């Protein structure tokens, strides 16, 4: 994100009001926009900033390496005072950088694991899990694939102030895969044996089994992958007034961490787990229910080969709408009352007695 680039001058957090849910939805739609998924790291480019700030950057589809570097240079120029005010080009650059660069490390998140690529990365996996009539082998294959992708996304987008060891990563992965496979296979064996349930209800329940597996294992996955943050804490910072930020900018000093808080880490990880369930709910529930209804129509009965394309279309459409709504459930840059955290932070709070931290995605 832009906060990781050089310069002491802070950019506005968003074009939208992040204190409101719908403001966060619009902001989340920006950082999860698949059209900016394809910017990758490249060598720095020396640019004419005056020319750059006046170029038209309306196009964001398949951002090239050069365009990512231009965006980073624009943000750096603003943060170091070479560009004085926000304009459409700076907002474009911020959108590109925020959807590509990790806020704690300043490095590009690997392409398939960026939030801007989340919909595309999950499309095939979700379609595989929701394939009607999966047998044991297929169920295991897609659950393992899904949890592998979840581990990669959770690890890539976690708060990096508390690194995760390789042994913890492997242990978390094994436990998450075991949980998802156990739930999926267990329900697959239980649902057909239900005696007081009509065949149509059994069909619907069988289509919802992947959701139960994904929701339970996904929650466990987040806590396992980011358990080190809860055990060691994450960096928190004072909430500063605009005047205090200006003073810091003039001094050329950044905002320093007040220390690591375990309570803030628990809140951050818990909210992330909830947002993942919120995201999975419409994606894993609506497409299979709609597909059950469509499979009863004469049109799809005469065209069984269209089942897969229809399924993919339903999943893609639902994902595009669901992801921003889920990501916006909680602010990424979270401000809380210092007295809700450890006592050591009570007298170090900033504006209105509050501190803030990066929740992760």
């Amino acid at each position: 994100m832009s906060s990781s680039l050089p310069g002491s001058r802070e950019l506005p957090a968003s074009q939208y009001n992040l204190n409101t849910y719908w403001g966060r939805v619009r902001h989340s739609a920006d950082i999860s926009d698949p059209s900016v998924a394809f910017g990758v790291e490249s060598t720095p480019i020396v640019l004419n900033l005056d020319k750059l700030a006046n170029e038209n950057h309306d196009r964001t589809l398949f951002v090239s390496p050069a365009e990512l570097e231009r965006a980073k240079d624009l943000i750096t120029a603003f943060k170091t005072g070479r560009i004085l005010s926000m304009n459409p080009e700076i907002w474009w650059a911020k959108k590109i950088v925020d959807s590509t660069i990790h806020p704690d490390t300043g490095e590009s998140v690997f392409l398939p694991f960026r939030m801007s690529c989340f919909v595309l990365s999950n499309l095939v996996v979700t379609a595989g899990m929701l394939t009607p009539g999966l047998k044991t082998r297929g169920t295991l294959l897609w659950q393992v694939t899904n949890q592998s992708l979840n581990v990669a996304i959770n690890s890539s987008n976690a708060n990096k102030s508390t690194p995760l060891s390789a042994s913890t990563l492997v242990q978390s992965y094994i436990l998450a895969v075991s949980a998802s496979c156990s739930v999926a296979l267990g329900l697959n064996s239980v649902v057909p044996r239900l005696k007081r349930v009509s065949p149509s209800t059994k069909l619907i329940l069988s289509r919802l089994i992947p959701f139960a597996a994904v929701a339970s294992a996904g929650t466990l996955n987040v806590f396992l992958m980011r358990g080190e943050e809860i055990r060691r804490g994450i960096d928190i910072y004072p909430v500063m007034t605009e005047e205090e930020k200006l003073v810091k900018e003039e001094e050329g000093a950044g905002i320093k961490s007040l220390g690591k808080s375990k309570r803030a880490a628990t809140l951050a990880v818990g909210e992330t787990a909830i947002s993942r369930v919120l995201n999975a709910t419409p994606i894993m529930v609506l497409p299979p229910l709609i597909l059950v209804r469509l499979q009863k129509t004469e049109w799809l009965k005469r065209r069984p080969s269209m089942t897969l394309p229809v399924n993919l279309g339903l999943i893609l459409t639902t994902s595009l709408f669901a992801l921003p709504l889920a990501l916006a459930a909680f602010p990424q840059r979270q401000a809380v009352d210092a007295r809700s955290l450890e006592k050591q932070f009570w007298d170090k709070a900033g504006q209105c007695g509050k501190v803030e931290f990066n929740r992760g995605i």
Side-chain angles (χ1 to χ4, degrees):
M1 285 194 171
S2 53
S3 59
S4 62
L5 295 177
S8 58
R9 188 181 177 197
E10 291 297 321
L11 278 80
S14 176
Q15 299 182 71
Y16 314 107
N17 183 2
L18 299 183
N19 292 321
T20 67
Y21 175 68
W22 288 110
R24 294 197 297 273
V25 168
R26 297 178 71 184
H27 177 72
S28 298
D30 265 0
I31 65 173
S32 62
D33 180 1
S35 70
V36 298
F38 295 89
V40 295
E41 195 72 59
S42 71
T43 55
I45 302 172
V46 179
L47 298 167
N48 183 322
L49 291 173
D50 291 332
K51 177 183 178 183
L52 181 58
N54 289 296
E55 287 180 356
N56 184 351
H57 293 297
D58 290 338
R59 185 184 66 80
T60 58
L61 184 63
F62 301 142
V63 176
S64 68
E67 285 174 317
L68 174 58
E69 289 302 329
R70 291 190 188 100
K72 290 166 67 176
D73 283 344
L74 268 174
I75 296 299
T76 301
F78 179 89
K79 293 183 70 175
T80 55
R82 288 179 286 161
I83 294 178
L84 300 179
S85 61
M86 293 297 292
N87 56 51
E89 289 73 31
I90 301 296
W91 285 119
W92 169 85
K94 187 176 187 300
K95 174 179 178 178
I96 299 301
V97 170
D98 283 357
S99 63
T100 305
I101 306 297
H102 194 284
D104 294 329
T105 65
E107 299 176 356
S108 292
V109 176
F110 185 49
L111 175 60
F113 310 144
R114 297 174 191 166
M115 280 298 112
S116 57
C117 204
F118 186 91
V119 170
L120 301 178
S121 297
N122 276 270
L123 178 60
V124 174
V125 177
T126 305
M129 289 189 293
L130 295 179
T131 300
L134 272 184
K135 302 301 182 183
T136 299
R137 182 178 298 178
T139 298
L140 289 174
L141 171 64
W142 287 114
Q143 288 298 329
V144 169
T145 303
N146 181 59
Q147 290 309 315
S148 299
L149 182 60
N150 282 345
V151 165
I153 291 175
N154 288 341
S155 176
S156 298
N157 293 281
N159 184 303
K160 296 297 185 181
S161 63
T162 303
L164 188 68
S165 67
S167 60
T168 303
L169 182 66
V170 172
Q171 182 183 17
S172 300
Y173 171 70
I174 292 173
L175 289 173
V177 168
S178 301
S180 65
C181 291
S182 298
V183 171
L185 293 178
L187 290 178
N188 273 336
S189 64
V190 169
V191 169
R193 298 177 184 176
L194 296 176
K195 296 181 179 179
R196 297 183 180 181
V197 177
S198 65
S200 60
T201 303
K202 285 184 181 181
L203 176 62
I204 292 174
L205 290 176
S206 67
R207 297 290 178 90
L208 295 180
I209 288 174
F211 166 67
V214 167
S216 57
T219 301
L220 177 63
N221 189 308
V222 172
F223 278 97
L224 291 172
M225 289 296 301
R226 299 179 60 180
E228 199 67 19
E229 295 176 30
I230 297 175
R231 287 188 287 273
R232 295 172 56 185
I234 58 175
D235 287 327
I236 63 170
Y237 304 85
V239 174
M240 307 186 77
T241 64
E242 292 303 318
E243 291 76 14
E244 289 172 331
K245 290 180 180 179
L246 287 174
V247 171
K248 289 286 185 182
E249 289 176 14
E250 292 172 359
E251 295 175 349
I255 303 175
K256 295 182 179 180
S257 169
L258 299 175
K260 293 184 181 292
S261 168
K262 295 180 181 179
R263 291 184 181 177
T266 301
L267 178 62
V269 176
E271 290 182 348
T272 301
I274 293 172
S275 70
R276 293 297 170 84
V277 174
L278 293 176
N279 182 47
T281 301
I283 297 172
M284 302 297 292
V285 171
L286 293 180
L289 294 183
I290 295 173
L291 188 61
V292 166
R293 181 63 62 89
L294 291 176
Q295 285 179 315
K296 296 178 181 179
T297 64
E298 289 300 321
W299 185 85
L300 201 55
K301 285 180 179 178
R302 292 196 301 267
R303 301 171 180 85
S305 61
M306 291 299 296
T307 300
L308 179 58
V310 168
N311 198 21
L312 286 171
L314 289 171
I315 294 168
L316 177 60
T317 303
T318 308
S319 299
L320 289 172
F321 284 100
L323 183 58
L325 295 173
L327 292 178
F330 307 101
Q332 183 177 357
R333 194 73 182 179
Q334 184 98 321
V336 297
D337 192 321
R339 289 187 171 272
S340 67
L341 304 181
E342 292 86 346
K343 194 171 183 178
Q344 68 191 78
F345 301 114
W346 289 8
D347 59 351
K348 298 180 181 180
Q351 184 182 20
C352 300
K354 292 186 178 294
V355 294
E356 63 181 3
F357 54 88
N358 172 33
R359 175 176 64 84
I361 298 179

